Amino acid sequence: MRSTPFYYKAFLLSLLITGISCAGKKENKQEQPPTEAPAGMVWVPGGSYIVGSQDEHANRSEGPAYEVEVSGFWMDETEVTNAQFREFVEATGYKTVAERPVDWEELKKQVPPGTPKPADSLLQPGSLIFHPSEVANLYDLSQWWAWSIGSDWQHPYGPESNIDGKDNHPVVHIAYEDAVAYANWAGKRLPTEIEWEVAARGGKHQSFQWGEELTPEGKYLANFFQGGFPYNNMPKDGFEKSAPVKSYPANAYGLYDMIGNVWEWTSDWYRPDTHVRNSQAQNEKARVNPVGPPRSYDPNDPMTPKRVTKGGSFLCSDQYCSNYRPSARMATAYDSGQEHLGFRLVRSAQ
């Protein structure tokens, strides 16, 4: 059954958005790949890494920094593209969450008791699109997100839009369930939060995957928001919305767009104290290939199960949220599909 997308409930509830930080890596010998690289994937070496962050930009949910052991794994060099997702849909007939009607019986479980049922006309297949205007404050997401019936991965900006000529753009409006379905078909899996963070850092302990400056020598090395958020987008990086994959340089592991472009799903449930719990674990095995908590908890929206998404998107702005950092972590409802949310996959070493 389909329940409500995360931002749709912003019209019913007052939600908050989390911040960002960065993470690092402990220098260690580079584990060699065990086999020839699968098509379109690159090797992320295993070893000892420092994850989490306590720098000046970090949100409390991203600290403290602590050491983990991670086994090597393969990762998609880019986000899953429209062309790749179309191949999956054509082979399986799969319909995404955004293409199915909202189920009010499921929605009721995630909103306060007594919340009135929305009009049936609003419970139609759709998703949330970015619809900016001048705003009174930066706490009410409904000021720049609009529920759009007919928006989905094939119609990313509304029912009249399409993805013609955008085969090499990341697929968006993807809910967690959709990403898992694609992963099962492809014989891969979603990365854990720790795997994703280690991969994004590219073996370097820097604020950004390319160094300490966001735009070194005035160069834009990722797709994010420039201008007065949310209504005055000045795409100095070359793209107002998503960018084709590989539009910017890869990191040291050969991974593209780990920062910016679109948010990416991980397999971990969200808790704001995940790093605290991991760092304080008495059993050292808890820090070997750590996975997320057994269940979700977001104090800002406790009734909605959420997964961790990583990497920021083309909507991340230094005026609002600087989530274009490797250690940024966002709580995203498992049934949410959005204009700036996609995924990439990993495969464990055989």
Side-chain angles (χ1 to χ4, degrees), residues 100-142:
R100 310 173 209 161
V102 176
D103 186 339
W104 173 240
E105 294 304 313
E106 288 296 311
L107 168 56
K108 286 196 300 187
K109 301 174 184 178
Q110 300 182 44
V111 297
T115 299
K117 180 182 178 181
D120 289 342
S121 60
L122 296 176
L123 298 178
Q124 301 305 308
S127 192
L128 264 291
I129 62 173
F130 186 62
H131 187 70
S133 62
E134 294 197 36
V135 299
N137 60 68
L138 292 178
Y139 295 98
D140 181 2
L141 280 68
S142 66

Side-chain angles (χ1 to χ4, degrees), residues 14-15 38-39 53 82 89 118 122-123 126 130 151 187 202 240 250 255 264 275 303-304 310 336 345:
S14 175
L15 302 179
S53 176
N82 286 321
V89 169
L122 296 176
L123 298 178
F130 186 62
S151 289
E240 182 178 1
L255 296 164
E264 299 181 16
H275 287 320
M303 302 179 72
T304 302
K310 299 283 287 181
S336 177
L345 301 174

